[in-house]
Amino acid sequence: MTKVKTATSRSSSYHDYLISSLKDIEEATAYLETFLELDEEGREAEILRSALKDIIDARILANDLSEKAKQRYEELDQLLSENAGNEIYTLIEFLDALGYRIALVPKE
């Protein structure tokens, strides 16, 4: 019997691959930094929320998520859902106006 790939199976396998790759802290850092560097038109709280959820899912699968991190994630997710991440994006825009940019670096 021939195995037929559907859009759903490809999407699912990509998501599985993404979550697996995000177990690596360097990959997760680069992935998240991409969403923080988007210009104003590309910034959407839902996309940032989705990226954060992917990283959390990867950490859960790797059994590498503390209760404190889980709690902070839930608080941040609530904040992003309530006000579209305005505080985060305003901070990024303010720093940009001062000549800075946000850079994520994994802790040693």
Side-chain angles (χ1 to χ4, degrees):
M1 179 175 221
T2 304
K3 186 174 181 179
V4 177
K5 282 193 171 189
T6 64
T8 304
S9 66
R10 278 183 282 170
S11 175
S12 177
S13 64
Y14 171 74
H15 188 260
D16 293 344
Y17 166 77
L18 175 64
I19 298 303
S20 177
S21 72
L22 293 176
K23 290 179 186 177
D24 177 79
I25 195 158
E26 296 288 336
E27 291 286 330
T29 301
Y31 180 71
L32 185 55
E33 196 167 42
T34 300
F35 294 98
L36 294 176
E37 291 179 349
L38 294 174
D39 62 19
E40 280 186 55
E41 293 175 13
R43 292 182 182 156
E44 292 183 33
E46 287 304 313
I47 295 173
L48 181 57
R49 287 178 72 200
S50 179
L52 291 168
K53 175 84 169 89
D54 291 340
I55 291 170
I56 292 300
D57 289 347
R59 289 283 185 98
I60 289 170
L61 284 175
N63 199 26
D64 186 27
L65 185 67
S66 69
E67 281 301 314
K68 184 176 182 178
K70 183 179 179 182
Q71 180 183 10
R72 295 293 181 243
Y73 164 71
E74 290 170 357
E75 292 169 0
L76 180 58
D77 188 57
Q78 182 68 31
L79 181 70
L80 289 170
S81 71
E82 289 174 356
N83 62 20
N86 288 330
E87 290 91 345
I88 293 170
Y89 293 130
T90 300
L91 174 61
I92 292 169
E93 291 165 4
F94 170 67
L95 292 173
D96 181 61
L98 292 175
Y100 299 102
R101 73 179 184 99
I102 297 269
L104 299 177
V105 180
K107 286 177 150 180
E108 296 297 319

